[in-house]
Amino acid sequence: MGVDTLFSLEGKTAIITGAGRGIGRAIAVLFAQAGAHVVCAARTESDLEHTVDLCGEAGGRALALPCDVSEEAQLEKLLAGAVEHFGSPAIVVNNAGGAWPNDPLTTRTDTLVKDFAFNVGSAFALSRLAHPHLCEQQGCIINITSASARYAQAGFSSYGTAKAALTQLTRLLAADFAPNVRVNGISPGTIMTSALEPFLDDNARQRMTELTPMKRLGQPADIAAAALFLASPAAAWITGKIIEVDGGAESTTWPF
């Protein structure tokens, strides 16, 4: 198998949640460039339309389907729309997620539960709903977790716990779904996205860079490249694994 074939997604349908900006957008555009038919899901339609335009510029076909991943009925509609327009998905990227830093002494339990549902429950639901289609395609699931899942750092008890659960869910679903569906995850370190940038001034950015062995902060393209590998034939014998894309950081780079 040639290198072009090893990393090709030609003709495959991919659903990507959180595709309106940042990491999700970068994955969508790279998948489109690799030949996939990309279904872009997020809550903000204008963001999705911009992603679809970028996918078109990359030479691929893409569809914007607004979706709140916290609502299972909307996930069902998302899946039905993908099948109607492009056929059964071969790839699902559970990228939607996130939570604010928190103080555990002032965080209500229902906030923790909500963060868990957003980051873990939505990925579980879409993976379950898509499973029959993924089996048909001998496809794969990629969960975007976080380095916060393994770092011991103040202020992340809610987000870090949710992402740790998503990391373990990835391993467990891989065991459940093998050998027909591969399930892997990517654990990003500090990635410069529009969600992170407002928190950082020049001093904070410099401190985070100094704490990163590779001496730069990550870009969405770094995560997209790992996702392309996991989705491609090159990763056909990989399941239940988490790729850590974090510039080599083995502890928190959070500067506050």
Side-chain angles (χ1 to χ4, degrees):
M1 186 181 293
V3 66
D4 290 344
T5 304
L6 272 175
F7 295 96
S8 173
L9 303 182
E10 190 67 36
K12 295 183 178 180
T13 298
I15 297 175
I16 302 169
T17 67
R21 293 182 295 170
I23 289 171
R25 172 177 285 170
I27 293 173
V29 173
L30 190 59
F31 278 19
Q33 188 175 353
H37 305 322
V38 184
V39 179
C40 304
R43 285 176 290 192
T44 305
E45 188 167 7
S46 58
D47 289 342
L48 287 177
E49 293 295 349
H50 184 42
T51 299
V52 166
D53 289 343
L54 293 173
C55 288
E57 292 171 9
R61 297 175 62 195
L63 173 70
L65 290 179
C67 176
D68 182 347
V69 298
S70 299
E71 300 291 335
E72 191 159 322
Q74 293 194 35
L75 291 176
E76 292 173 347
K77 187 177 179 181
L78 168 65
L79 185 58
V83 172
E84 178 184 353
H85 283 84
F86 291 143
S88 289
I91 305 160
V92 168
V93 181
N94 289 306
N95 170 67
W100 295 104
N102 71 296
D103 178 352
L105 298 179
T106 58
T107 300
R108 293 174 56 88
T109 303
D110 58 0
T111 298
L112 181 72
V113 171
K114 182 178 180 181
D115 290 344
F116 190 94
F118 183 36
N119 289 276
V120 187
S122 62
F124 179 83
L126 184 54
S127 298
R128 172 176 54 80
L129 292 168
H131 180 262
H133 300 283
L134 295 171
C135 280
E136 174 188 321
Q137 298 292 321
Q138 295 288 294
C140 69
I141 296 166
I142 301 169
N143 293 325
I144 308 300
T145 176
S146 171
S148 295
R150 70 181 195 278
Y151 293 165
Q153 57 184 343
F156 288 85
S157 59
S158 187
Y159 179 68
T161 297
K163 288 300 190 181
L166 181 59
T167 295
Q168 184 63 0
L169 177 67
T170 300
R171 299 187 181 105
L172 295 172
L173 289 183
D176 284 327
F177 291 175
N180 295 316
V181 179
R182 299 183 299 108
V183 187
N184 292 293
I186 300 171
S187 174
T190 304
I191 307 297
M192 284 302 299
T193 64
S194 58
L196 175 63
E197 196 163 4
F199 287 97
L200 305 180
D201 57 20
D202 289 342
N203 289 334
R205 190 178 292 108
Q206 180 178 351
R207 177 61 177 153
M208 295 175 88
T209 302
E210 290 170 352
L211 290 170
T212 304
M214 290 298 289
K215 301 307 177 191
R216 73 168 175 87
L217 302 184
Q219 297 295 325
D222 295 311
I223 308 305
L228 176 59
F229 166 66
L230 288 175
S232 74
W237 207 49
I238 300 175
T239 196
K241 300 298 182 280
I242 309 296
I243 296 182
E244 297 171 359
V245 186
D246 51 24
E250 289 299 321
S251 59
T252 182
T253 61
W254 193 243
F256 304 111

